[in-house]
Amino acid sequence: MESFTIASKKVLTLVLVIDKAGQKARNLILLGYKKRGFGAHLWNGFGGKVEPGETAHEGALRELEEEAGITVKSEDFKKAGILLFQFENDPVALETHVYKAYEYQGQIRECEEMRPEWFAFDDIPYDQMWEDDRIWLPMLLNGQDPFFGRMYFKRKALEKETKVAPVVNTSTSAHVNHSTTMTATSFTTAQPKSGPFAMYDHHLEHSLQGVPHEVALDGTIASFEN
Ligand SMILES: Nc1nc2c([nH]c(=O)n2[C@H]2C[C@H](O)[C@@H](COP(=O)(O)OP(=O)(O)OP(=O)(O)O)O2)c(=O)[nH]1
């Protein structure tokens, strides 16, 4: 496993809302399609950066309200673990505190950043999610939390995708005009399927005895919650 010292870290949150045997008698998970910013075009839980003066718990509740329009009572909010994301040639690691909730209040709504949607557990769109999610999300869903994971990513080479504009038939005739030329070709940078980063290594401990509270700069669990 890759192991390198972190110079600093940012504290983030990630919330998974689960509807156990809901209306359709199937277990459902609420994911949001990220419309812009970091992790754009991927499905994910709700969350973001913890603000100064806020605990991770408070930050997670705030982001859930901002991004999905719903609230969760503190007693229904359970810490599932910490995921430490490290990126090649980037000394800043992302210490992501993951929470789960089975009850919520309010009306789920879309915002500028996220489009929420329920997914059955057997229909989770892993190929349109961060690559590490297929490793730890099943554990969260199976109750194998709390967990602690370290995930290492490399930046993917962005492929150039050629978009060919539709053929414009300038002929007034009903017959296909074979002499019609194709108009300007536009070049766009394609978004790789599971985001611009590729995971190249990971380490995951699950069913821990205690709930991780903080990660040390050597990438180990610094403390557990009381
Ligand atoms: N599932 C999953 N989530 C991840 C991974 N990496 C990663 O940063 N995240 C989450 C943690 C945060 O919830 C979110 C990143 O936070 P963000 O940049 O959207 O934060 P924010 O909402 O404060 O951002 P902004 O308002 O400044 O745009 O993505 C990953 O590998 N898997």
Side-chain angles (χ1 to χ4, degrees):
M1 185 189 67
E2 291 281 334
S3 150
F4 46 89
T5 303
I6 307 158
S8 64
K9 59 190 182 176
K10 278 186 197 155
V11 183
L12 304 180
T13 61
L14 185 63
V15 182
L16 286 317
V17 176
I18 295 155
D19 184 359
K20 280 229 157 185
Q23 291 161 338
K24 292 179 185 163
R26 288 172 90 189
N27 292 331
L28 302 175
I29 181 167
L30 185 67
L31 297 173
Y33 180 78
K34 185 108 190 252
K35 296 193 261 183
R36 57 165 203 216
F38 190 59
H41 312 301
L42 299 180
W43 291 94
N44 205 351
F46 304 90
K49 297 171 202 76
V50 173
E51 289 181 354
E54 231 180 20
T55 62
H57 183 110
E58 289 163 351
L61 289 173
R62 173 184 50 74
E63 291 277 356
L64 181 65
E65 212 279 322
E66 286 173 9
E67 294 183 351
I70 53 175
T71 55
V72 174
K73 291 183 190 149
S74 271
E75 63 266 29
D76 295 327
F77 209 49
K78 188 170 176 274
K79 177 96 166 268
I82 292 185
L83 297 170
L84 189 74
F85 300 117
Q86 291 178 253
F87 299 88
E88 194 184 35
N89 299 327
D90 188 345
V92 184
L94 306 179
E95 180 187 285
T96 304
H97 295 241
V98 185
Y99 294 85
K100 62 179 185 178
Y102 294 99
E103 304 283 340
Y104 66 90
Q105 287 75 45
Q107 202 67 36
I108 294 166
R109 56 129 178 83
E110 181 172 350
C111 70
E112 279 182 11
E113 199 175 329
M114 290 287 236
R115 175 162 54 81
E117 203 171 304
W118 290 103
F119 290 88
F121 280 16
D122 55 7
D123 200 23
I124 295 174
Y126 284 114
D127 63 344
Q128 295 169 62
M129 295 170 73
W130 281 92
E131 218 177 315
D132 55 289
D133 295 13
R134 62 176 74 236
I135 295 165
W136 57 267
L137 186 53
M139 292 182 175
L140 181 146
L141 301 176
N142 293 333
Q144 290 173 283
D145 52 298
F147 50 72
F148 172 57
R150 287 162 67 178
M151 315 292 173
Y152 301 89
F153 289 91
K154 278 183 180 166
R155 186 173 281 280
K156 280 184 194 166
L158 292 176
E159 304 134 23
K160 282 271 164 85
E161 182 185 86
T162 308
K163 275 198 178 161
V164 180
V167 174
V168 180
N169 188 347
T170 51
S171 166
T172 49
S173 140
H175 301 290
V176 176
N177 180 351
H178 293 288
S179 66
T180 303
T181 50
M182 294 182 84
T183 50
T185 310
S186 65
F187 293 90
T188 59
T189 304
Q191 167 77 16
K193 222 178 175 190
S194 56
F197 298 98
M199 191 177 68
Y200 69 97
D201 203 358
H202 77 276
H203 166 80
L204 185 81
E205 297 164 42
H206 59 89
S207 306
L208 296 175
Q209 295 302 311
V211 182
H213 176 62
E214 203 196 342
V215 178
L217 291 186
D218 67 358
T220 58
I221 304 175
S223 60
F224 290 89
E225 291 190 0
N226 296 320

